[in-house]
């Protein structure tokens, strides 16, 4: 029996836990901040349900083979009390979050050789604790190597497609390049398509091209056509369509992953001597937008 503890049973964590719990050779424990009884996930394959062990007190955790972390990036440090009880010498820790800094965020909490950074393409939303809608087929990317391959193998019997990639850096930066533009609708509070013009295009283009340039300096392959595809997606973004989690979190008055998604472009750009003026301005404006919390820091 493989033992897994999932910290952060939100949209992503709840979906992943429910799929893994379908496998009789896996024992899933859910480590929750807000208690609930069971998981019900509407997936493209229909409703899946699971009744894993759910704990809310870190002291009730015991060492497991795998810890999966699916909190927002700004809650990384809040996982420490859980990790203190769940991680033994053999435990590997998979970080399922957006961004490109999985290792940096957890380097003071988990030994580097046991961290598995995970990029997930799986749009999902939570309507209540334990109640989730998975909107499309899920795809997981991890780095090549024993840890990544062992992690991908956990999903063998699920409908989530998991693969280890020799060029994981590109996987992570392609996702970030696609996500970077979400800062624009999170500031304007509306879709970009209906208000598209040359000036808005230069803003969107600046955000995406800066991200691609920094990603390339970090070793990622980001084709010029991919950048154009992302800009085209922004040009055709329909009113009322989901403008992403930054937007949703801002509207809800929640913290936002703005540092993990755009602040990182500015920080790593500075490291490489690459100017990132568009991301810097938008990060500054969003930070000053009145949202009470940015990345966990009260401003
Ligand atoms: N949703 C998507 O479509 C999607 C797609 C791809 C990638 N991602 C990325 O996946 C990550 C997770 O996003 P999400 O949408 O799943 O977020 P979410 O729905 O807000 O879920 C986060 C979960 O973490 C829990 N949590 C926070 N601190 C905790 C702690 N100390 N102990 C236990 N649980 C804790 C929250 O608890 P509460 O229940 O109390 O809120 C919540 O259940 C993010 O990096 C996001 O960018 C999301």
């Amino acid at each position: 029996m493989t033992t897994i503890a999932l910290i952060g049973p939100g949209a992503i964590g709840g979906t992943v836990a429910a799929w893994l719990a379908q496998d009789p050779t896996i024992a899933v424990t859910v480590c929750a901040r807000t208690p609930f009884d069971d998981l019900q996930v509407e997936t493209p394959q229909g409703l899946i349900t699971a009744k894993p062990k759910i704990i809310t007190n870190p002291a009730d955790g015991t060492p497991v083979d795998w810890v999966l972390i699916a909190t927002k990036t700004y809650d990384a440090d809040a996982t420490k009390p859980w990790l203190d009880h769940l991680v033994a010498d053999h435990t590997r820790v998979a970080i399922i979050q957006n961004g490109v800094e999985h290792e940096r965020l957890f380097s003071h909490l988990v030994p580097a050789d046991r961290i598995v950074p995970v990029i997930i393409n799986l749009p999902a939303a939570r309507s209540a604790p334990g109640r989730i809608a998975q909107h499309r087929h899920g795809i997981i990317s991890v780095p090549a190597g024993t840890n990544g391959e062992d992690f991908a193998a956990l999903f063998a019997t699920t409908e989530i497609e998991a693969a280890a990639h020799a060029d994981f850096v590109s996987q992570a930066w392609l996702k970030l390049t696609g996500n970077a533009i979400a800062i624009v609708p999170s500031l304007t509070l509306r879709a970009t398509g209906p208000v598209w013009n040359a000036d808005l295009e230069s803003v969107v283009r600046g955000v995406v091209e800066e991200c691609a340039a920094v990603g390339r300096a970090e070793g990622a392959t980001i084709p010029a056509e991919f950048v154009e595809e992302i800009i085209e997606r922004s040009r055709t973004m329909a009113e009322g369509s989901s403008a992403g989690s930054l937007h949703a979190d801002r509207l809800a008055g929640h913290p936002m992953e703005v540092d993990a998604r755009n602040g990182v472009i500015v920080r790593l750009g500075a490291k490489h001597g690459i100017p990132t003026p568009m991301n810097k301005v938008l990060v500054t404006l969003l930070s000053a937008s009145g949202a009470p919390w940015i990345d966990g820091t009260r401003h």
Side-chain angles (χ1 to χ4, degrees):
M1 186 68 90
T2 302
T3 53
I4 294 179
L6 181 294
I7 307 173
I12 290 296
T15 303
V16 166
W19 275 115
L20 291 173
Q22 309 300 307
D23 184 336
T25 69
I26 295 179
V28 179
T29 299
V30 166
C31 305
R33 182 171 63 183
T34 306
F36 57 94
D37 292 330
D38 61 351
L39 286 163
Q40 295 185 17
V41 185
E42 289 289 353
T43 79
Q45 286 75 32
L47 178 71
I48 61 168
T49 61
K51 217 168 171 16
K53 182 175 174 191
I54 298 174
I55 58 177
T56 53
N57 181 356
D60 293 334
T62 52
V64 287
D65 298 324
W66 283 95
V67 174
L68 276 47
I69 298 178
T71 64
K72 291 277 178 62
T73 52
Y74 47 75
D75 280 325
D77 285 350
T79 63
K80 184 178 186 310
W82 290 111
L83 293 170
D84 287 346
H85 289 87
L86 299 169
V87 176
D89 287 347
H90 71 289
T91 308
R92 288 173 285 179
V93 180
I95 318 291
I96 313 174
Q97 291 180 335
N98 270 325
V100 292
E101 295 190 302
H102 306 67
E103 283 107 332
R104 183 184 73 78
L105 285 177
F106 287 87
S107 61
H108 58 302
L109 300 174
V110 181
D113 62 346
R114 287 194 268 140
I115 295 180
V116 183
V118 183
I119 291 295
I120 189 162
N121 281 295
L122 185 158
R126 180 174 57 154
S127 54
R131 301 293 176 267
I132 299 158
Q134 176 191 341
H135 298 304
R136 284 202 303 276
H137 179 61
I139 301 175
I140 277 177
S141 306
V142 285
T146 309
N147 286 345
E149 278 143 27
D150 289 352
F151 179 76
L154 296 174
F155 293 84
T157 65
T158 74
E159 290 291 333
I160 296 180
E161 193 180 323
H165 295 263
D167 187 8
F168 177 75
V169 172
S170 294
Q171 297 292 320
W173 277 93
L174 287 168
K175 177 92 196 277
L176 189 68
T177 305
N179 275 343
I181 62 133
I183 195 167
V184 176
S186 72
L187 276 160
T188 60
L189 297 179
R190 63 175 306 176
T192 40
V195 285
W196 194 256
N197 59 33
D199 290 337
L200 189 61
E201 176 171 341
S202 68
V203 173
V204 168
R205 183 171 288 282
V207 169
V208 183
E209 287 184 345
E210 288 171 11
C211 182
V214 176
R216 288 176 190 129
E218 287 280 303
T221 300
I222 303 172
E225 310 82 70
F226 181 78
V227 169
E228 294 308 318
E229 260 173 52
I230 297 300
I231 295 167
E232 179 61 11
R233 210 184 296 163
S234 192
R235 188 184 71 77
T236 54
M237 183 183 191
E239 197 71 279
S241 58
S242 164
S245 66
L246 275 187
H247 184 192
D249 283 340
R250 183 177 176 209
L251 288 182
H254 291 158
M256 293 181 279
E257 291 182 310
V258 69
D259 184 64
R261 309 238 316 222
N262 296 87
V264 65
I265 299 168
V266 179
R267 283 187 285 106
L268 294 179
K271 181 179 119 188
H272 292 289
I274 296 172
T276 55
M278 201 59 81
N279 279 280
K280 186 162 189 184
V281 166
L282 299 190
V283 167
T284 304
L285 289 176
L286 193 56
S287 303
S289 67
W293 289 74
I294 305 288
D295 283 328
T297 307
R298 197 174 279 282
H299 284 241

